[in-house]
């Protein structure tokens, strides 16, 4: 019997990572945050002083660095850039921008696709991103499209950054989120969109606990648990 896979896609700040992690834990599945992979490349590009739109420069760099993903005993995903644990560094706002830029390059997406598919071949996974249900795992057992209004998402992102001690104002976070949505939705390769067979869940007006219950329900039904 093959392994089960759950794809959760949606814009930044809809609660994907928190909810996917919780549902993965409840199901005993491995949680894979694919945005973290793009962020790691974004950090490498930033550190190398390469412009994210410099396709040739980014692809060249991709061949010279190593990006690895590992899971600790706690089930948390860690990202490694040339062996260095960059799990925290990749959360900074300038890395978000750069990750969004490099993720629009088709060769980058193709390169990082194998890494994502290989993970789903070896165990039951819940994978979150932008194109998991549409491109990476089109045969996923369950597909969920998680959304929320830009304002609700900006508020949550600001809370998260604030808790981590990153000083940034709400208006800037909202502006960044709207700009990132624009880029992710309108890019030519693997744009952010809801798969036809995905279940849409809007978390604008519901809290974390209710969102979790709804998602868990959809997942349990979908995998026949
Ligand atoms: O989910 P996130 O904010 O950590 O993602 C960072 C960037 O990576 C985001 O701007 C879009 C991109 N991304 C993508 O293009 N495809 C994915 N599967 C995941 C993320």
């Amino acid at each position: 019997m093959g392994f089960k896979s759950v794809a959760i896609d949606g814009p930044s700040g809809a609660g994907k990572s928190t909810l996917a992690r919780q549902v993965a834990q409840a199901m005993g599945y491995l949680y894979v945050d694919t945005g973290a992979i793009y962020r790691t490349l974004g950090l490498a590009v930033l550190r190398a002083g390469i412009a994210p739109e410099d396709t040739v420069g980014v692809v060249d760099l991709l061949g010279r660095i190593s990006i690895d993903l590992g899971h600790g005993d706690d089930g948390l995903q860690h990202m490694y850039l040339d062996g260095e644990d960059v799990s925290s560094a990749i959360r900074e706002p300038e890395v978000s921008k750069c990750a969004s830029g490099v993720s629009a390059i088709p060769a980058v997406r193709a390169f990082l696709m194998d890494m994502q598919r290989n993970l789903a071949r070896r165990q039951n996974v819940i994978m979150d991103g932008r194109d998991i249900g549409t491109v990476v795992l089109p045969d996923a057992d369950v597909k969920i499209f998680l959304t929320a209004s830009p304002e609700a998402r900006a508020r949550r992102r600001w809370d998260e950054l604030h808790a981590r001690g990153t000083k940034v104002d709400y208006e800037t976070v909202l502006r960044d989120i709207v700009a990132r949505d624009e880029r992710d939705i309108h890019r030519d390769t693997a744009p952010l969109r809801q798969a036809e067979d995905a279940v849409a869940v809007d978390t604008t007006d519901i809290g974390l606990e209710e969102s979790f219950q709804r998602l868990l329900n959809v997942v349990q039904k979908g995998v026949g648990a």
Side-chain angles (χ1 to χ4, degrees):
M1 201 182 73
F3 292 106
K4 300 283 186 192
S5 56
V6 177
I8 303 187
D9 291 303
S12 157
K16 288 193 306 292
S17 54
T18 306
L19 290 164
R21 192 181 310 120
Q22 289 180 349
V23 174
Q25 199 170 20
M27 299 291 298
Y29 286 17
L30 185 77
Y31 165 57
V32 179
D33 169 5
T34 64
I37 305 174
Y38 289 95
R39 284 172 179 272
T40 304
L41 176 61
L43 177 68
V45 164
L46 203 66
R47 283 182 176 175
I50 296 167
E53 52 283 344
D54 173 4
T55 304
V56 174
V58 172
V59 171
D60 176 62
L61 181 74
L62 200 50
R64 289 187 280 119
I65 57 172
S66 75
I67 294 178
D68 293 297
L69 180 155
H71 285 83
D73 292 340
D74 49 8
L76 289 184
Q77 177 177 315
H78 287 257
M79 292 306 305
Y80 300 91
L81 173 59
D82 292 328
E84 174 194 346
D85 188 337
V86 292
S87 312
S88 211
I90 59 171
R91 297 294 153 196
E92 294 303 323
E94 66 268 29
V95 178
S96 304
K97 253 184 243 163
C98 207
S100 177
V102 297
S103 70
I105 301 173
V108 164
R109 304 202 71 85
F111 190 93
L112 298 179
M113 174 101 80
D114 282 348
M115 189 172 179
Q116 299 169 62
R117 285 192 175 153
N118 283 338
L119 287 162
R121 260 183 221 123
R122 294 197 291 258
Q123 62 254 299
N124 295 324
V125 293
I126 293 192
M127 205 173 266
D128 86 22
R130 303 293 188 284
D131 63 336
I132 309 304
T134 52
V135 179
V136 179
L137 303 176
D139 299 324
D141 298 277
V142 184
K143 297 180 186 179
I144 295 169
F145 195 76
L146 200 66
T147 55
S149 71
E151 291 75 17
R153 291 187 281 125
R155 172 58 58 196
R156 290 174 197 161
R157 188 62 99 201
W158 184 85
D159 284 346
E160 222 177 86
L161 289 167
H162 190 71
R164 234 176 321 128
T166 304
K167 288 197 176 49
V168 56
D169 59 80
Y170 167 79
E171 291 304 326
T172 307
V173 178
L174 177 61
R175 215 178 320 115
D176 282 357
I177 280 204
V178 171
R180 207 134 68 90
D181 283 357
E182 275 295 299
R183 277 198 302 269
D184 294 347
I185 292 168
H186 297 294
R187 68 184 178 210
D188 293 334
T189 315
L192 170 66
R193 68 174 176 83
Q194 184 177 334
E196 270 169 28
D197 49 351
V199 177
V201 177
D202 188 324
T203 67
T204 305
D205 297 316
I206 54 173
L208 209 54
E209 184 52 34
E210 195 179 337
S211 306
F212 167 69
Q213 288 303 337
R214 276 199 207 177
L215 246 61
L216 187 61
N217 247 322
V218 175
V219 171
Q220 283 175 331
K221 250 191 229 141
V223 300

